[in-house]
Amino acid sequence: MASRKPKKPAGKLLKIGRKEIREYKRGKVYYVRWNCLYESNDGNEFWAWTPTRTVHGKKAAAESEAEKYKQELEKMLGIRPVSTTLADYAKEYQALRKEEAARTDSKLSPLTVERDELDIAKVIDEFGAYTPQQLTAGLIIQHFKQMRKDGASNSAIHKVHAKLSAVMEYAIGELSINDVSISLTNPCTLKVVKNEAKRPKAQKQEALTLDEATSLAQTIKSNELTGFTVAVWFALFTGMRRGEVLGLTWNDVDLSDNVIHVRNQYAKDKKLRAPKSDESRRDIAFDEGTAELLKKWRKQQQKEFREKGARFSENAPVCSNFVCRFIDPDTFGRWRRNYFIKNGLGRYKNEEHYTDAKGIKRIRRTGYEGKSFHALRHTQATLLIADGTDVKTVQGRLGHSDATLTMNTYAHTITEKDREAAQAIGKLLNPKNKGGRS
């Protein structure tokens, strides 16, 4: 075991030289020190030995202590030890992102960082033992193939690859800043590795047909309203995202001008927070039918609040649950799947009958197939574009950052409208259509 480190020589440490391990008692006690270059207060450079450390143990213990001593000296120089593993870098990287997300002016969502925790853990599990210098394209591909054999999906591997690449970029940056004489490139950026972790094809989001959308709207309107069904109505008639709908308060709804002010979202961490982008902060107009439904729901909601001893205010959630609070996104997700199945918009692939611990017969259904909540947003855009609404207006309602995103997402609908436009211009400009003149 090493003795306590003595005081370092007066002066600024500039460079680490050679080490010395002297045997004091054979196989029992050793002295460890390093010869280093220093700069004195008057600017002169000089070589001097560091304070000696006494190590009680065998030669291997002295070698280990010498390496620890060197790492301490490297920290004094601002040099990252070359033995730092990817596990260390991954933890530092994630900690820095948490700090950034906690800032009030940050565009990085704490929820995004929280969701990344699982992928960072997988990076550490698969690659944490390697140093950045040891990681190669071959090693990465080998791990990805094994992950695939163990049942990992293409999506899971793609996420691990993305996080591993980010951690490697951070590690290389740290090594570069510390002026370590190691030339490194990020093997994750090589085409062969990207191909192995290729991004899975995005599932096509199908919008509701006009008949399906009309039927769903009629079902909501003709039955007793709840905060859950009002949320579905909002998505169908405004194209708002789930978090934006669940985060609405009555302060955000202007029933005099029929406008919704999207200012917050209520996500899985069950906190109200600002939307991810400036474009998501927007005003959305709504129709008279929606205005009538909201007035009816507001009166009903006020009554429910009184009956349950809750105080109704303009800060109350528009889409409240059965205890007058914001609806848990996970609870809403389960309810929405069952509601869609009930209305012919989905089904469960698997159904398991079982008896619980109390002897009650139950049914467990899994493997949902059908329309998603996001499909309501797609329905809004598809129907508007098909009806001739310009892309810029649709972009604004959806809160897309760029009209190109809107055009790419709804290219199939826009292409169909383009064909109709071609026929229309043909009829307008074709001389045969003008009073029979040729």
Side-chain angles (χ1 to χ4, degrees):
M1 191 175 174
S3 64
R4 191 167 182 173
K5 182 174 71 172
K7 209 172 174 183
K8 67 179 181 179
K12 180 182 177 182
L13 179 63
L14 299 177
K15 185 178 179 180
I16 303 169
R18 64 186 180 87
K19 71 179 175 185
E20 181 182 66
I21 299 177
R22 284 191 296 120
E23 189 177 52
Y24 179 66
K25 288 184 180 180
R26 189 173 182 83
K28 291 184 178 181
V29 181
Y30 293 86
Y31 292 145
V32 175
R33 62 180 182 172
W34 286 86
N35 196 26
C36 296
L37 180 66
Y38 295 90
E39 181 183 41
S40 63
N41 293 334
D42 55 10
N44 293 320
E45 294 182 0
F46 64 96
W47 286 90
W49 288 100
T50 60
T52 301
R53 288 189 177 181
T54 304
V55 181
H56 297 273
K58 296 186 180 295
K59 180 74 177 287
E63 291 285 359
S64 177
E65 183 62 33
E67 187 57 35
K68 288 180 185 176
Y69 204 168
K70 183 183 180 183
Q71 288 179 11
E72 291 175 21
L73 294 169
E74 286 175 335
K75 283 184 180 179
M76 291 169 62
L77 282 172
I79 296 175
R80 171 89 61 172
V82 294
S83 59
T84 304
T85 64
L86 280 169
D88 297 321
Y89 284 115
K91 291 171 185 175
E92 289 176 21
Y93 167 79
Q94 189 68 352
L96 288 172
R97 293 180 79 235
K98 282 182 180 177
E99 288 179 14
E100 182 184 346
R103 295 201 331 261
T104 54
D105 61 340
S106 176
K107 290 190 175 182
L108 181 61
S109 166
L111 191 60
T112 300
V113 178
E114 185 181 324
R115 280 198 300 258
D116 288 343
E117 286 283 356
L118 184 60
D119 295 321
I120 290 291
K122 288 179 181 175
V123 167
I124 293 172
D125 185 48
E126 289 289 334
F127 304 98
Y130 300 112
T131 65
Q133 300 90 322
Q134 292 172 330
L135 196 65
T136 64
L139 272 173
I140 297 171
I141 291 172
Q142 182 182 334
H143 277 267
F144 285 168
K145 285 181 176 177
Q146 187 58 50
M147 286 174 67
R148 201 167 271 114
K149 283 181 182 178
D150 293 338
S153 65
N154 287 339
S155 177
I157 291 171
H158 177 76
K159 289 177 182 177
V160 170
H161 171 258
K163 283 290 163 277
L164 176 62
S165 183
V167 170
M168 274 297 294
E169 288 296 332
Y170 170 73
I172 291 169
E174 285 293 294
L175 289 169
S176 174
I177 290 170
N178 289 321
D179 197 26
V180 175
S181 57
I182 299 171
S183 178
L184 275 180
T185 55
N186 188 348
C188 298
T189 59
L190 297 176
K191 189 175 181 180
V192 65
V193 177
K194 286 183 177 180
N195 288 342
E196 187 63 34
K198 59 186 176 183
R199 190 185 193 97
K201 288 185 179 179
Q203 291 184 347
K204 186 179 179 182
Q205 291 282 354
E206 291 187 7
L208 276 65
T209 64
L210 180 57
D211 287 343
E212 288 173 334
T214 304
S215 175
L216 182 62
Q218 188 59 36
T219 299
I220 295 171
K221 200 170 183 179
S222 59
N223 288 281
E224 184 178 1
L225 294 174
T226 69
F228 292 78
T229 57
V230 169
V232 174
W233 181 281
F234 264 122
L236 187 60
F237 280 82
T238 67
M240 292 169 64
R241 301 174 179 93
R242 186 180 73 173
E244 294 169 346
V245 171
L246 299 184
L248 277 178
T249 65
W250 285 107
N251 269 326
D252 304 319
V253 181
D254 186 342
L255 287 170
S256 58
D257 285 339
N258 290 1
V259 173
I260 294 168
H261 306 292
V262 182
R263 298 293 179 265
N264 292 297
Q265 59 176 329
Y266 190 72
K268 285 195 172 187
D269 60 353
K270 302 171 190 175
K271 292 179 182 177
L272 274 180
R273 62 176 79 258
K276 288 184 178 181
S277 64
D278 293 336
E279 290 77 16
S280 294
R281 295 174 65 89
R282 62 201 187 279
D283 295 339
I284 307 174
F286 54 84
D287 63 295
E288 284 299 329
T290 298
E292 289 176 15
L293 181 132
L294 284 176
K295 288 172 184 176
K296 177 184 175 183
W297 166 239
R298 183 181 169 96
K299 287 181 181 178
Q300 181 185 323
Q301 191 185 44
Q302 287 173 329
K303 181 183 177 183
E304 288 180 3
F305 271 53
R306 285 195 301 272
E307 289 174 349
K308 292 173 182 176
R311 180 177 171 272
F312 182 88
S313 72
E314 295 304 305
N315 290 321
V318 175
C319 302
S320 55
N321 61 16
F322 301 110
V323 289
C324 308
R325 295 177 182 172
F326 286 98
I327 298 173
D328 183 318
D330 290 329
T331 302
F332 179 79
R334 288 190 293 272
W335 173 89
R336 194 272 311 161
R337 287 191 290 274
N338 290 325
Y339 188 72
F340 274 22
I341 289 171
K342 184 179 177 181
N343 287 280
L345 299 174
R347 71 182 187 92
Y348 285 117
K349 287 193 300 182
N350 310 310
E351 187 174 288
E352 177 190 351
H353 294 257
Y354 69 100
T355 304
D356 68 13
K358 295 182 179 179
I360 301 171
K361 291 183 177 180
R362 299 189 181 277
I363 301 174
R364 181 186 292 114
R365 297 180 177 92
T366 57
Y368 175 80
E369 288 181 336
K371 298 296 195 298
S372 65
F373 185 83
H374 209 69
L376 303 177
R377 180 172 163 83
H378 281 279
T379 303
Q380 159 93 182
T382 302
L383 293 179
L384 287 178
I385 293 171
D387 195 49
T389 305
D390 65 276
V391 173
K392 194 68 180 174
T393 299
V394 175
Q395 174 204 342
R397 287 182 71 81
L398 297 181
H400 281 165
S401 58
D402 195 323
T404 305
L405 176 58
T406 310
M407 292 179 72
N408 289 341
T409 306
Y410 303 102
H412 58 292
T413 307
I414 294 169
T415 301
E416 187 60 37
K417 293 304 295 180
D418 186 47
R419 289 196 188 97
E420 292 177 16
Q423 294 300 320
I425 198 69
K427 289 178 182 178
L428 289 169
L429 300 180
N430 191 333
K432 291 180 181 179
N433 294 332
K434 295 188 176 181
R437 289 182 297 171
S438 59

